[in-house]
Amino acid sequence: MFELSEYQPEIIPIINTVFRIVAILLVMIVIMSVIQIKNHSRRMGWFIISVCFVMGGLISELASQNRAIFFAVSSESSVIRAHIFYALFAVFFCLYFIETEIEAGAGKDGVLWTLLHGLIGLLVVILSMADLKGIFEWLAFFLQYVIVIVMLFFSSKDVRASIGFILGASFPITAALLGMAVPGLDLMGAGLTIMCLIIFFGFQSDMERELLNKQVELSASKVSLLMEQIHPHFIYNSLQQIALLCDEDALEVKEAIYNFSGYLRKNFESLTNEGMISFDKEMEHVDMFVKLAMINPARKFEVRKDFKVTNFFLPALTIQPLVENAVQYGVGMGTGGGKIEIQTREEKSYITISVSDDGSGLENQMATQKKHKSVGMENVRMRLKLMCDGKMEFLQTKEGTKVIVRIPKNI
């Protein structure tokens, strides 16, 4: 064993206490930062549990040195409890890393790694309970975090992407080596705290990179949506129908021009809107489009509304493109008229919006319709995902088409 000096018995407890107090302060900072993050994912849930185990271990170790303050049963039981917390940390960190892989699309199973960490954690618990602490317990901790590094090398991440995890795992490994070399020196809590800090900074970096990617995708989506919404063919037909009305009814011409200008204005407002808009505002856009589409006497259809909930927000140009598709490529393709129905419902975690028509079904759909629908629907789907983590389902049968949009309630 490495001998510090003849004052080693007095120095080591001071070193342990200082590192534990600093580590508790750092863990508290991490916890407060995590609490401020909105929309916690499962990945962040595993991280929070891991951090709580580190905090529990640090408090238990402090209790072992300050029994009168912490009302600990005994110094020995507090140390055992702390090491059990630290052993369990590795198991939940493994689950955190597996979730990171899943979010990246790697589809990592991770059962083997979780089982290995669980077995070594159980070994630490047995060694602690059986009063076989010392070099054997530190060796078990050492193996636990060496396995973490091995797991990282077998992951789908390249070395540069894993450098933060590898650097973080090196601190508990160092703490385990120091524990074997210097009797009484226990810096495992501090090592795990530094590991948590590095992981959290890496998580924040991933979030910032993901946000930047979403902004780029959203900008590209807006350009694509602009090309979809301002159809020269639709504008030409609308102006042509308004011109034909001039010979029939001047009052209708005036209203048609108002609707046409309002439709274009709503399009441009929606495309420049960075946030969510109210459902009522989106329906104003829908109503203007429907009135404009009904100028054409060849289009005979009705729009039915069944709203059970209206006080929610959604991305601009969510419902209007769906109704436009239903008019132009659903009921608008028939000669006997048709029906478009817009419904809203409140579910447990989502607001559900459905737009259905009984027009051109699957059997009567032409190749050009399929292409246009797929482009338009994918555009709406992408913006829902990027702006509010919403979902869209497209159902088509022989009788007609139904599009279901689900928007999370907590936006």
Side-chain angles (χ1 to χ4, degrees), residues 11-25:
I11 294 174
I12 288 180
I14 296 173
I15 294 174
N16 288 340
T17 302
V18 170
F19 271 90
R20 287 163 186 167
I21 292 173
V22 173
I24 286 175
L25 293 175

PDB file of all heavy atoms in Angstrom, residues 11-25:
ATOM      1  N   ILE A  11      -5.148  13.025   7.894  1.00  0.00           N
ATOM      2  CA  ILE A  11      -5.346  13.756   6.638  1.00  0.00           C
ATOM      3  C   ILE A  11      -6.467  13.151   5.808  1.00  0.00           C
ATOM      4  O   ILE A  11      -7.302  13.871   5.229  1.00  0.00           O
ATOM      5  CB  ILE A  11      -4.035  13.774   5.820  1.00  0.00           C
ATOM      6  CG1 ILE A  11      -2.972  14.595   6.557  1.00  0.00           C
ATOM      7  CG2 ILE A  11      -4.280  14.349   4.426  1.00  0.00           C
ATOM      8  CD1 ILE A  11      -1.619  14.555   5.906  1.00  0.00           C
ATOM      9  N   ILE A  12      -6.503  11.815   5.734  1.00  0.00           N
ATOM     10  CA  ILE A  12      -7.458  11.152   4.840  1.00  0.00           C
ATOM     11  C   ILE A  12      -8.913  11.496   5.159  1.00  0.00           C
ATOM     12  O   ILE A  12      -9.690  11.805   4.243  1.00  0.00           O
ATOM     13  CB  ILE A  12      -7.220   9.632   4.850  1.00  0.00           C
ATOM     14  CG1 ILE A  12      -5.927   9.329   4.095  1.00  0.00           C
ATOM     15  CG2 ILE A  12      -8.393   8.886   4.193  1.00  0.00           C
ATOM     16  CD1 ILE A  12      -5.554   7.871   4.022  1.00  0.00           C
ATOM     17  N   PRO A  13      -9.357  11.461   6.416  1.00  0.00           N
ATOM     18  CA  PRO A  13     -10.751  11.850   6.686  1.00  0.00           C
ATOM     19  C   PRO A  13     -11.078  13.274   6.256  1.00  0.00           C
ATOM     20  O   PRO A  13     -12.186  13.552   5.788  1.00  0.00           O
ATOM     21  CB  PRO A  13     -10.876  11.688   8.202  1.00  0.00           C
ATOM     22  CG  PRO A  13      -9.826  10.692   8.567  1.00  0.00           C
ATOM     23  CD  PRO A  13      -8.686  10.967   7.633  1.00  0.00           C
ATOM     24  N   ILE A  14     -10.076  14.175   6.377  1.00  0.00           N
ATOM     25  CA  ILE A  14     -10.302  15.563   5.945  1.00  0.00           C
ATOM     26  C   ILE A  14     -10.463  15.621   4.427  1.00  0.00           C
ATOM     27  O   ILE A  14     -11.359  16.296   3.896  1.00  0.00           O
ATOM     28  CB  ILE A  14      -9.123  16.464   6.400  1.00  0.00           C
ATOM     29  CG1 ILE A  14      -9.061  16.512   7.925  1.00  0.00           C
ATOM     30  CG2 ILE A  14      -9.282  17.868   5.814  1.00  0.00           C
ATOM     31  CD1 ILE A  14      -7.842  17.244   8.457  1.00  0.00           C
ATOM     32  N   ILE A  15      -9.599  14.889   3.719  1.00  0.00           N
ATOM     33  CA  ILE A  15      -9.694  14.847   2.251  1.00  0.00           C
ATOM     34  C   ILE A  15     -11.049  14.288   1.828  1.00  0.00           C
ATOM     35  O   ILE A  15     -11.728  14.838   0.949  1.00  0.00           O
ATOM     36  CB  ILE A  15      -8.555  13.993   1.662  1.00  0.00           C
ATOM     37  CG1 ILE A  15      -7.204  14.667   1.906  1.00  0.00           C
ATOM     38  CG2 ILE A  15      -8.775  13.771   0.158  1.00  0.00           C
ATOM     39  CD1 ILE A  15      -6.006  13.829   1.485  1.00  0.00           C
ATOM     40  N   ASN A  16     -11.448  13.182   2.472  1.00  0.00           N
ATOM     41  CA  ASN A  16     -12.745  12.576   2.141  1.00  0.00           C
ATOM     42  C   ASN A  16     -13.890  13.558   2.352  1.00  0.00           C
ATOM     43  O   ASN A  16     -14.779  13.700   1.499  1.00  0.00           O
ATOM     44  CB  ASN A  16     -12.979  11.328   2.996  1.00  0.00           C
ATOM     45  CG  ASN A  16     -12.090  10.164   2.583  1.00  0.00           C
ATOM     46  OD1 ASN A  16     -11.569  10.130   1.473  1.00  0.00           O
ATOM     47  ND2 ASN A  16     -11.902   9.212   3.490  1.00  0.00           N
ATOM     48  N   THR A  17     -13.877  14.246   3.491  1.00  0.00           N
ATOM     49  CA  THR A  17     -14.973  15.173   3.829  1.00  0.00           C
ATOM     50  C   THR A  17     -15.041  16.332   2.847  1.00  0.00           C
ATOM     51  O   THR A  17     -16.125  16.697   2.361  1.00  0.00           O
ATOM     52  CB  THR A  17     -14.802  15.707   5.257  1.00  0.00           C
ATOM     53  OG1 THR A  17     -14.781  14.612   6.171  1.00  0.00           O
ATOM     54  CG2 THR A  17     -15.951  16.645   5.621  1.00  0.00           C
ATOM     55  N   VAL A  18     -13.866  16.923   2.533  1.00  0.00           N
ATOM     56  CA  VAL A  18     -13.839  18.067   1.606  1.00  0.00           C
ATOM     57  C   VAL A  18     -14.379  17.662   0.236  1.00  0.00           C
ATOM     58  O   VAL A  18     -15.226  18.348  -0.355  1.00  0.00           O
ATOM     59  CB  VAL A  18     -12.406  18.629   1.482  1.00  0.00           C
ATOM     60  CG1 VAL A  18     -12.335  19.647   0.345  1.00  0.00           C
ATOM     61  CG2 VAL A  18     -11.971  19.267   2.787  1.00  0.00           C
ATOM     62  N   PHE A  19     -13.911  16.536  -0.275  1.00  0.00           N
ATOM     63  CA  PHE A  19     -14.368  16.074  -1.588  1.00  0.00           C
ATOM     64  C   PHE A  19     -15.865  15.764  -1.582  1.00  0.00           C
ATOM     65  O   PHE A  19     -16.575  16.026  -2.567  1.00  0.00           O
ATOM     66  CB  PHE A  19     -13.574  14.843  -2.023  1.00  0.00           C
ATOM     67  CG  PHE A  19     -12.312  15.178  -2.777  1.00  0.00           C
ATOM     68  CD1 PHE A  19     -11.114  15.360  -2.111  1.00  0.00           C
ATOM     69  CD2 PHE A  19     -12.328  15.314  -4.154  1.00  0.00           C
ATOM     70  CE1 PHE A  19      -9.951  15.673  -2.796  1.00  0.00           C
ATOM     71  CE2 PHE A  19     -11.176  15.618  -4.855  1.00  0.00           C
ATOM     72  CZ  PHE A  19      -9.975  15.811  -4.176  1.00  0.00           C
ATOM     73  N   ARG A  20     -16.355  15.208  -0.486  1.00  0.00           N
ATOM     74  CA  ARG A  20     -17.782  14.871  -0.422  1.00  0.00           C
ATOM     75  C   ARG A  20     -18.660  16.113  -0.369  1.00  0.00           C
ATOM     76  O   ARG A  20     -19.715  16.163  -1.018  1.00  0.00           O
ATOM     77  CB  ARG A  20     -18.047  13.978   0.799  1.00  0.00           C
ATOM     78  CG  ARG A  20     -17.534  12.566   0.616  1.00  0.00           C
ATOM     79  CD  ARG A  20     -17.413  11.811   1.914  1.00  0.00           C
ATOM     80  NE  ARG A  20     -16.768  10.504   1.702  1.00  0.00           N
ATOM     81  CZ  ARG A  20     -16.311   9.730   2.675  1.00  0.00           C
ATOM     82  NH1 ARG A  20     -16.414  10.132   3.953  1.00  0.00           N
ATOM     83  NH2 ARG A  20     -15.745   8.572   2.395  1.00  0.00           N
ATOM     84  N   ILE A  21     -18.229  17.110   0.386  1.00  0.00           N
ATOM     85  CA  ILE A  21     -19.019  18.351   0.467  1.00  0.00           C
ATOM     86  C   ILE A  21     -19.054  19.044  -0.893  1.00  0.00           C
ATOM     87  O   ILE A  21     -20.120  19.487  -1.363  1.00  0.00           O
ATOM     88  CB  ILE A  21     -18.442  19.292   1.549  1.00  0.00           C
ATOM     89  CG1 ILE A  21     -18.661  18.683   2.946  1.00  0.00           C
ATOM     90  CG2 ILE A  21     -19.100  20.674   1.474  1.00  0.00           C
ATOM     91  CD1 ILE A  21     -17.989  19.439   4.055  1.00  0.00           C
ATOM     92  N   VAL A  22     -17.887  19.153  -1.548  1.00  0.00           N
ATOM     93  CA  VAL A  22     -17.832  19.765  -2.884  1.00  0.00           C
ATOM     94  C   VAL A  22     -18.688  18.971  -3.872  1.00  0.00           C
ATOM     95  O   VAL A  22     -19.432  19.544  -4.687  1.00  0.00           O
ATOM     96  CB  VAL A  22     -16.375  19.860  -3.375  1.00  0.00           C
ATOM     97  CG1 VAL A  22     -16.334  20.330  -4.831  1.00  0.00           C
ATOM     98  CG2 VAL A  22     -15.572  20.805  -2.500  1.00  0.00           C
ATOM     99  N   ALA A  23     -18.605  17.637  -3.779  1.00  0.00           N
ATOM    100  CA  ALA A  23     -19.383  16.788  -4.690  1.00  0.00           C
ATOM    101  C   ALA A  23     -20.882  16.981  -4.480  1.00  0.00           C
ATOM    102  O   ALA A  23     -21.649  17.035  -5.450  1.00  0.00           O
ATOM    103  CB  ALA A  23     -19.005  15.326  -4.476  1.00  0.00           C
ATOM    104  N   ILE A  24     -21.327  17.105  -3.221  1.00  0.00           N
ATOM    105  CA  ILE A  24     -22.756  17.321  -2.947  1.00  0.00           C
ATOM    106  C   ILE A  24     -23.226  18.632  -3.558  1.00  0.00           C
ATOM    107  O   ILE A  24     -24.307  18.711  -4.160  1.00  0.00           O
ATOM    108  CB  ILE A  24     -23.025  17.300  -1.424  1.00  0.00           C
ATOM    109  CG1 ILE A  24     -22.938  15.854  -0.910  1.00  0.00           C
ATOM    110  CG2 ILE A  24     -24.402  17.877  -1.101  1.00  0.00           C
ATOM    111  CD1 ILE A  24     -23.068  15.729   0.587  1.00  0.00           C
ATOM    112  N   LEU A  25     -22.412  19.683  -3.443  1.00  0.00           N
ATOM    113  CA  LEU A  25     -22.770  20.983  -4.032  1.00  0.00           C
ATOM    114  C   LEU A  25     -22.888  20.865  -5.555  1.00  0.00           C
ATOM    115  O   LEU A  25     -23.817  21.409  -6.162  1.00  0.00           O
ATOM    116  CB  LEU A  25     -21.732  22.035  -3.651  1.00  0.00           C
ATOM    117  CG  LEU A  25     -21.665  22.414  -2.161  1.00  0.00           C
ATOM    118  CD1 LEU A  25     -20.508  23.370  -1.906  1.00  0.00           C
ATOM    119  CD2 LEU A  25     -22.971  23.037  -1.708  1.00  0.00           C
TER     120      LEU A  25
END
